[in-house]
Amino acid sequence: MGINIGAFLARSWRDRQAIASGSIPRFAVASGGMLVSAAILWRFKRAIERPGSGGARNRVRERSSDVAPSALDAIPDWKRICALLVVFLIVIVFYMAFDQNGTTMLYFANDNTAWNVSGILSNAINPFWIIALTFPLLGLWKYLNKRGREPSTPAKMVMG
Amino acid sequence: MMLTAAAFFIMALAGKAGGDHGRVSPAWLIGAYFVLSTGELMLSPMGLSLVSRWLRRA
């Protein structure tokens, strides 16, 4: 979600700046922004990882033990690793197609779309939809879950 | 995967409608991105949650 808010802001806003300034100031802005977020992380790192009690790591641990504590522990390591490799493979193939939005889709937006803005603006469409669709989709899963018909995680991945 | 395939099928139709040099409505792109983003939302977070669930707790 945060990724996409950032991507949406940067991509819709940069288009207007791009005409005025060269690439050096633009890269400098990106670099400076990273330093700002590193400073924020440094400042608030205690809130994220508190040693001992209540840190993020402990919360994850509690949640994953809620799901299926004994059943998951019983599965041997090599089986888990194989399962993870399958997931990685799926994700690799997905992103091979998905990341065409930076190339093929961008060329199409520039050369074959009837609008009077730069095609770069089309890169803001994807994060816009992510922001717009996250909560409706969560609502849908919740609704289906209440009726006992929420699809399993692999089923969702196949659909996606 | 299905939705991603559908999204690029929409783009193929858009390319067919416009030909090599024609220009088509931006609604094609916005529609294709709608389907593509729905697909991303059903794959990317699911993968992340699977990985964190399957990792052995240290």
Side-chain angles (χ1 to χ4, degrees):
Chain A
M1 193 70 177
I3 295 173
N4 287 287
I5 293 174
F8 178 68
L9 288 176
R11 286 168 185 173
S12 51
W13 174 48
R14 188 183 54 193
D15 188 44
R16 254 161 281 157
Q17 277 195 321
I19 308 146
S21 52
S23 55
I24 292 173
R26 267 179 279 153
F27 285 137
V29 166
S31 176
M34 281 300 102
L35 291 180
V36 169
S37 51
I40 293 173
L41 186 63
W42 184 255
R43 170 70 185 75
F44 292 105
K45 72 170 194 262
R46 280 212 184 138
I48 298 168
E49 197 168 10
R50 214 176 306 148
S53 65
R57 213 182 269 168
N58 287 354
R59 232 172 294 141
V60 169
R61 192 174 300 170
E62 278 160 29
R63 205 184 327 138
S64 54
S65 63
D66 282 346
V67 179
S70 51
L72 262 180
D73 282 337
I75 302 169
D77 276 348
W78 67 269
K79 264 192 174 170
R80 292 171 182 225
I81 291 169
C82 286
L84 284 178
L85 288 178
V86 170
V87 172
F88 293 163
L89 203 69
I90 294 171
V91 171
I92 287 169
V93 176
F94 172 79
Y95 275 100
M96 278 168 68
F98 180 84
D99 276 327
Q100 294 205 41
N101 61 21
T103 54
T104 322
M105 304 275 272
L106 181 58
Y107 288 131
F108 189 88
N110 252 340
D111 300 337
N112 296 90
T113 303
W115 57 10
N116 47 14
V117 293
S118 151
I120 295 175
L121 198 62
S122 75
N123 274 348
I125 302 173
N126 169 246
F128 163 76
W129 278 124
I130 297 285
I131 296 165
L133 292 172
T134 297
F135 289 110
L137 214 58
L138 281 178
L140 177 70
W141 301 142
K142 215 176 228 175
Y143 170 76
L144 288 176
N145 191 16
K146 218 181 275 171
R147 305 181 61 192
R149 292 175 137 205
E150 187 181 359
S152 70
T153 301
K156 283 180 196 165
M157 290 179 85
V158 168
M159 278 191 269
Chain B
M1 305 263 123
M2 301 294 178
L3 286 172
T4 311
F8 284 107
F9 185 69
I10 292 174
M11 285 314 293
L13 290 182
K16 200 162 189 292
D20 274 351
H21 301 290
R23 286 178 177 267
V24 297
S25 155
W28 281 104
L29 268 180
I30 294 168
Y33 266 122
F34 170 79
V35 181
L36 188 63
S37 307
T38 314
E40 189 193 4
L41 274 175
M42 289 173 74
L43 190 134
S44 163
M46 305 306 149
L48 286 175
S49 85
L50 269 187
V51 169
S52 61
R53 221 186 307 163
W54 283 345
L55 282 179
R56 188 175 288 284
R57 278 162 271 142

